[in-house]
Amino acid sequence: MKRLLPWLIRLAPLLLVAVCAILLVFLLQQGLGSLSPTLLFGNVPPLQAILGKAPVWEGLWPACAGTFCLVLLTQALALLPGLGCGIYLAEYASPKKAATISLAMDILAGTPSIVMGLFGFTLIVCLRQSFLPNANTSLLLSAACLSLLVLPVIVSSCCEALRALPRDLRITALALGLKKRTVVTRILLPQASQGLAAGLILALARSAEDTAVIMLTGAVANAGLPAGLWDKFEALPFAIYYTAGEYQNAQDLTRGFGAALLLLLLSILLVLIAHVLERRYLRQRQGTHAAGCSR
Amino acid sequence: MPGSKLLTLPHDKDSEADLWIKAATVLAVLAVIALCAMIVVAALPALFSQTHTPFEWVWQPYHGHFGILPMCASSLLLALSALIIAFPWALGIVIWHLTEEEPALSWARKAFGLFIRLLTTVPTVVLSFAAVFLLTPLLRTAFGGTGMCLLGATLMVSLLILPTMVLVMESGLAQPLERLCPQGLALGLSRYQLLCHCLLPQSRTTLLQAAVLGFGRACGDTLLPLMLAGNAPRLPLHLTDSTRTLSAHMALVTANEVGGAAYNSLFAAGLFLLGTTLCVTLALRRLARAKSSGSTV
Amino acid sequence: MQPAVLVENFSLSLNRVRILHAVNFSAAQQGISVLVGRSGSGKTTLLRSLNRLNETIAQTETQGRIRLDLGVGLEDIYPGEQTPRPVSEIRRLVGMVFQSPNVLPLSIAENIALPLRLVRKLPSREINERLQTCLKQVGLWEETEHRLESSAETLSGGQKQRLCLARALALEPALLLLDEPTASLDVHAAASIEEHLKELATHYPIVLVSHNPRQACRLATQLTVMEDGKIVETFREHLPNASEITEMLSERMTELV
């Protein structure tokens, strides 16, 4: 028994690695062959597809473009509130206010994405019944709900990045007679930029992969390239979900695997970048992990 | 001095926050309040509906039954069964990761940290997609039926919550263990003995935190149960039964129905889910507070 | 007489930084060998080499030889490839007390009983006997007799440190290592520890690192001065008094400046 125990304990991580390896190999085996321009553009010449001159029916390009727009829009919507709230939490909030803000962020972080989606859905239903009878689920609504989803990620990483800065920096700058807001925006924020970037990239990854929110707020299977803020759109995760249930032939299925592989690689890449940035940032600051910024 | 009061400093305009920062904070907090308020208000008509109450065990929209209780039960059941698998598994992984002393395996220990970190971000839709075409056929051959069942969803959800639980456990155990190590090793104890005999019995809060967080995640996930559990709106009595969780129910109803009592039950479902995760969040905060105030480890 | 500790030409680096340079050191079977030196001079590292504790903290490379008498004559501790005993047994046979009183987060009794149960695999009757003996040995029995089951964290600093000493003694060590055992204690607690150490030194070889010249000359039967990872002087007879030690340490400091 004594001899066996270390080996029994080693079984647990081995099992996990094995399961993940099986899933990954399966995905690669099914999807790797399809990774080519055809996967994205079908039979349409890539340049024309990218410029939007020819519609793509047999490729993932509209879904990719949709996800791209969605992610950018989400980031644009969430950036200022997220940074502002993170700065306030780290630099200005009294303990009481900090408790309120972190409670709000904790609640938001714990809320399932489908509930965020429901929130967006409810919003549209309300608008339609009141003063915007033509309102419908759309790209903008999805992005708004997603920005709610990534808000806690941005807030907590912004707060953590600021708190990892040395205390001396703050005191020195204040002792020079600078106003606190100047210190924060001109000295602390640039110093913390690498940590901030890590948080933003994490938020990017989070908004790119979420499916439940966009399912309820405007993603559809055949919308073509995203036409505008008020239109329905295609997205990569939704395309994957849709393929699993509605595929017609082997070609559809292969495209589904290609899409899954693409999304997987994308989020792994983003998270790796964020990880490296964060490690570098914390090592530079020799920062112990700052406490108090809940995640 | 009795009776003396601390002087409050005069209001200092220079150390006040920029307007946009204040506005951003107010916006963020208001958004959370709006989210909760809106779901509650939207759910009210359903909760007090006399004709189409959501509190019944039958979901047959065409016969006027809009009960969501089976979905509630199924959500909780799925989360609990996933927890039963994932908790010991995560604990085993953490024990290994913190106590592996074999120098030949130190590279594996280092790589494993990053591996777990990456696992937390695997898109659930990709996980579900792979499982639909890999796990479901296996279950079909093993148990018959469609292969879409509680068991499949349970297995994949436990895989989903595993990395998060591992990270929570490690963040609570790693530092205390390192603090124990010099003296513990000097006594001739191994890292494994220190962790399992000294630390774990003291670390109930950390383990509970991991379990609660895992439960919350498992309740809230949509794609895995939606794609793997078969979505039959009834109470699963067996692991191989098809079932429908609240989250999956919400996705299905918004996709298929337009208006009426079905919508109302949708909001009731959303409220129940929000309430559950709210409890989870509050419990986690309470646990975190208990840990920072009460522990000496 | 054969020494209990014999360090020959021993060099050590932690994470590729050389800490000890060709150290030669020995300690007798009885009495207290005191190591003094400024902080960063390598005292603690040398001490931790004797039970191979450095390698649990950082990547360690060594050169040279360390031998200890663990009950059956001198045996090799370093070079580390083919030591006759497993490392954990070496650590068990070398009792160590740290600068800050590190009790395990368990009850007072468990602090002593757990290592005995896990490392020595003794039956519980014998553990209870030994618990009592060891607590008496460090003068803790009267104070804790009635609350053996309460958490060790409830003890005062001096009591904790004596508990750590008792815990080390319970494992029946062949050698005691003490790393500034009174540094975090008040004068009275320190004095009581020192009394017990003098008593113990008649049965055990003790190697003690000290920061405090007065303590060093109160306790030492052999005094070794370290500087920059090297041993600069060893006194076996005619030990210097406290002010001489202070002078020696500060002299080297000014030499550096």
Side-chain angles (χ1 to χ4, degrees):
Chain A
M1 190 61 206
K2 267 267 123 72
R3 280 276 174 79
L4 233 56
L5 205 62
W7 291 102
L8 275 178
I9 288 296
R10 277 173 202 163
L11 272 185
L14 264 180
L15 185 62
L16 178 65
V17 172
V19 168
C20 293
I22 290 173
L23 285 171
L24 186 66
V25 166
F26 177 69
L27 270 180
L28 283 174
Q29 181 204 347
Q30 303 284 327
L32 202 56
S34 71
L35 284 187
S36 67
T38 330
L39 174 71
L40 286 184
F41 305 112
N43 306 321
V44 183
L47 195 64
Q48 286 200 329
I50 291 172
L51 295 175
K53 287 190 177 147
V56 177
W57 300 113
E58 310 257 282
L60 291 169
W61 174 242
C64 289
T67 288
F68 185 72
C69 293
L70 183 68
V71 164
L72 281 192
L73 198 55
T74 303
Q75 201 77 331
L77 288 176
L79 189 66
L80 279 186
L83 287 187
C85 190
I87 293 171
Y88 191 83
L89 185 58
E91 301 292 333
Y92 295 105
S94 63
K96 213 169 169 186
K97 279 182 186 158
T100 314
I101 297 170
S102 82
L103 173 66
M105 288 305 119
D106 278 359
I107 291 176
L108 206 54
T111 305
S113 55
I114 187 95
V115 175
M116 306 268 187
L118 184 67
F119 170 64
F121 186 78
T122 319
L123 205 64
I124 281 299
V125 171
C126 286
L127 284 179
R128 229 188 300 186
Q129 284 166 359
S130 54
F131 43 87
L132 271 178
N134 294 325
N136 207 341
T137 53
S138 66
L139 185 61
L140 185 64
L141 181 70
S142 281
C145 292
L146 278 180
S147 66
L148 215 51
L149 189 76
V150 300
L151 194 63
V153 181
I154 299 181
V155 169
S156 75
S157 59
C158 173
C159 173
E160 266 168 34
L162 283 173
R163 290 217 176 142
L165 291 174
R167 185 181 288 259
D168 291 354
L169 189 64
R170 239 160 285 222
I171 294 172
T172 320
L174 284 172
L176 288 173
L178 295 175
K179 287 181 184 172
K180 183 158 184 182
R181 68 185 73 152
T182 325
V183 175
V184 170
T185 47
R186 291 296 162 82
I187 296 179
L188 299 185
L189 220 47
Q191 285 285 317
S193 58
Q194 225 170 30
L196 291 178
L200 293 180
I201 291 174
L202 267 187
L204 216 63
R206 188 88 178 77
S207 57
E209 64 106 356
D210 198 273
T211 323
V213 171
I214 57 174
M215 240 158 75
L216 266 60
T217 54
V220 289
N222 306 302
L225 287 176
L229 292 181
W230 307 103
D231 290 298
K232 298 201 185 280
F233 61 99
E234 287 186 41
L236 208 47
F238 189 78
I240 298 170
Y241 164 69
Y242 189 78
T243 310
E246 314 279 330
Y247 69 96
Q248 306 289 335
N249 49 36
Q251 200 194 354
D252 278 359
L253 193 57
T254 315
R255 205 180 304 133
F257 277 107
L261 208 53
L262 214 57
L263 190 61
L264 184 66
L265 293 180
L266 180 72
S267 48
I268 286 183
L269 186 71
L270 286 176
V271 172
L272 271 181
I273 295 174
H275 184 71
V276 169
L277 280 177
E278 192 187 300
R279 287 293 284 275
R280 263 203 359 219
Y281 179 69
L282 286 179
R283 198 172 305 151
Q284 271 172 14
R285 308 272 152 251
Q286 296 152 357
T288 47
H289 219 55
C293 309
S294 47
R295 172 159 279 181
Chain B
M1 255 195 300
S4 76
K5 254 167 81 182
L6 287 172
L7 285 177
T8 323
L9 289 174
H11 187 65
D12 176 9
K13 262 203 136 164
D14 281 353
S15 55
E16 237 182 59
D18 274 334
L19 194 63
W20 74 271
I21 292 180
K22 283 189 199 162
T25 313
V26 172
L27 183 69
V29 176
L30 276 185
V32 181
I33 297 172
L35 178 117
C36 298
M38 201 142 186
I39 304 253
V40 172
V41 170
L44 285 179
L47 293 185
F48 296 106
S49 158
Q50 298 299 322
T51 47
H52 302 305
T53 172
F55 301 109
E56 59 171 332
W57 289 92
V58 188
W59 172 264
Q60 284 172 342
Y62 298 108
H63 297 99
H65 294 291
F66 296 95
I68 59 161
L69 289 183
M71 290 72 146
C72 296
S74 148
S75 266
L76 297 180
L77 212 62
L78 174 69
L80 280 178
S81 50
L83 203 58
I84 288 173
I85 297 177
F87 187 82
W89 194 1
L91 192 59
I93 287 175
V94 169
I95 291 176
W96 169 76
H97 197 214
L98 291 180
T99 63
E100 178 60 78
E101 282 181 287
E102 181 66 46
L105 286 174
S106 75
W107 65 269
R109 221 165 47 82
K110 280 178 194 146
F112 201 79
L114 185 59
F115 173 63
I116 285 286
R117 181 90 203 261
L118 285 181
L119 273 191
T120 54
T121 56
V122 170
T124 50
V125 67
V126 173
L127 208 55
S128 327
F129 191 81
V132 165
F133 296 103
L134 192 65
L135 184 64
T136 309
L138 279 180
L139 291 173
R140 195 182 303 142
T141 21
F143 301 108
T146 58
M148 303 273 197
C149 61
L150 182 62
L151 181 63
T154 300
L155 290 176
M156 293 316 282
V157 170
S158 64
L159 192 63
L160 176 79
I161 63 177
L162 186 72
T164 321
M165 292 174 71
V166 168
L167 286 181
V168 172
M169 289 184 193
E170 280 205 1
S171 73
L173 293 172
Q175 271 189 2
L177 182 65
E178 291 315 317
R179 238 175 294 150
L180 278 184
C181 256
Q183 45 151 349
L185 295 178
L187 289 171
L189 295 166
S190 65
R191 288 174 72 92
Y192 175 79
Q193 287 169 327
L194 280 174
L195 181 63
C196 293
H197 293 270
C198 287
L199 207 53
L200 280 184
Q202 313 281 317
S203 308
R204 243 172 261 148
T205 317
T206 301
L207 297 184
L208 207 57
Q209 266 177 325
V212 172
L213 189 65
F215 180 82
R217 285 280 156 85
C219 271
D221 190 70
T222 310
L223 267 291
L224 284 169
L226 178 64
M227 290 167 79
L228 296 173
N231 296 323
R234 59 187 157 91
L235 189 70
L237 298 171
H238 198 265
L239 272 177
T240 53
D241 280 354
S242 162
T243 189
R244 179 193 285 198
T245 63
L246 275 176
S247 48
H249 178 68
M250 289 160 68
L252 290 169
V253 171
T254 36
N256 298 330
E257 324 275 334
V258 182
Y263 265 5
N264 286 342
S265 87
L266 172 72
F267 298 122
L271 183 64
F272 186 84
L273 209 53
L274 186 66
T276 312
T277 50
L278 208 61
C279 291
V280 165
T281 303
L282 294 178
L284 281 175
R285 282 174 69 88
R286 171 157 288 195
L287 284 174
R289 214 171 321 140
K291 206 162 141 188
S292 64
S293 68
S295 87
T296 45
V297 185
Chain C
M1 200 168 71
Q2 199 187 31
V5 177
L6 193 57
V7 180
E8 293 164 297
N9 235 341
F10 185 74
S11 304
L12 176 141
S13 58
L14 290 179
N15 289 336
R16 304 191 182 280
V17 179
R18 187 62 82 85
I19 308 283
L20 297 178
H21 304 267
V23 168
N24 285 296
F25 173 81
S26 67
Q29 291 284 4
Q30 276 176 10
I32 305 180
S33 310
V34 178
L35 290 170
V36 292
R38 297 191 297 119
S39 53
S41 60
K43 307 173 302 252
T44 299
T45 310
L46 176 58
L47 200 67
R48 289 187 172 188
S49 304
L50 300 183
N51 61 351
R52 297 186 53 170
L53 207 55
N54 285 314
E55 55 204 83
T56 65
I57 297 160
Q59 194 194 337
T60 311
E61 282 148 7
T62 64
Q63 229 171 37
R65 191 173 189 196
I66 294 184
R67 281 178 293 168
L68 302 182
D69 182 356
L70 298 177
V72 289
L74 285 177
E75 55 184 271
D76 277 316
I77 303 301
Y78 279 115
E81 286 83 29
Q82 61 271 2
T83 52
R85 296 174 197 266
V87 185
S88 63
E89 200 174 318
I90 294 174
R91 294 195 185 123
R92 200 267 293 168
L93 286 167
V94 179
M96 187 161 190
V97 175
F98 293 78
Q99 182 173 358
S100 51
N102 289 318
V103 292
L104 300 173
L106 303 167
S107 73
I108 296 172
E110 271 300 289
N111 254 281
I112 294 177
L114 183 88
L116 286 177
R117 197 163 57 234
L118 292 178
V119 180
R120 298 294 307 276
K121 303 188 177 57
L122 293 180
S124 60
R125 194 178 48 80
E126 204 169 326
I127 289 179
N128 284 335
E129 276 169 24
R130 199 169 292 183
L131 174 73
Q132 201 169 338
T133 349
C134 294
L135 285 176
K136 277 178 181 159
Q137 235 172 331
V138 297
L140 208 56
W141 177 250
E142 284 78 27
E143 296 158 52
T144 58
E145 193 182 353
H146 306 293
R147 52 184 188 122
L148 284 174
E149 294 313 316
S150 56
S151 163
E153 298 288 345
T154 59
L155 296 172
S156 74
Q159 288 174 321
K160 276 185 196 168
Q161 196 62 306
R162 278 185 283 158
L163 180 64
C164 290
L165 193 56
R167 190 177 61 191
L169 292 175
L171 288 166
E172 299 186 314
L175 167 69
L176 275 178
L177 306 179
L178 302 153
D179 190 354
E180 301 185 30
T182 59
S184 59
L185 304 180
D186 64 62
V187 188
H188 295 292
S192 132
I193 295 265
E194 282 180 20
E195 280 314 306
H196 287 107
L197 288 183
K198 278 186 187 162
E199 168 84 29
L200 289 169
T202 55
H203 312 293
Y204 297 97
I206 294 181
V207 182
L208 180 138
V209 165
S210 182
H211 229 65
N212 177 346
R214 284 204 212 118
Q215 181 186 50
C217 78
R218 274 199 302 272
L219 293 176
T221 50
Q222 171 190 318
L223 186 85
T224 305
V225 184
M226 286 192 76
E227 184 68 55
D228 285 336
K230 299 182 193 98
I231 287 185
V232 285
E233 227 162 344
T234 300
F235 302 91
R236 293 208 169 77
E237 289 143 21
H238 311 299
L239 297 180
N241 62 31
S243 55
E244 280 166 344
I245 299 176
T246 317
E247 211 166 289
M248 247 185 305
L249 294 178
S250 57
E251 218 173 84
R252 299 195 186 280
M253 233 190 266
T254 44
E255 266 170 37
L256 276 175
V257 177

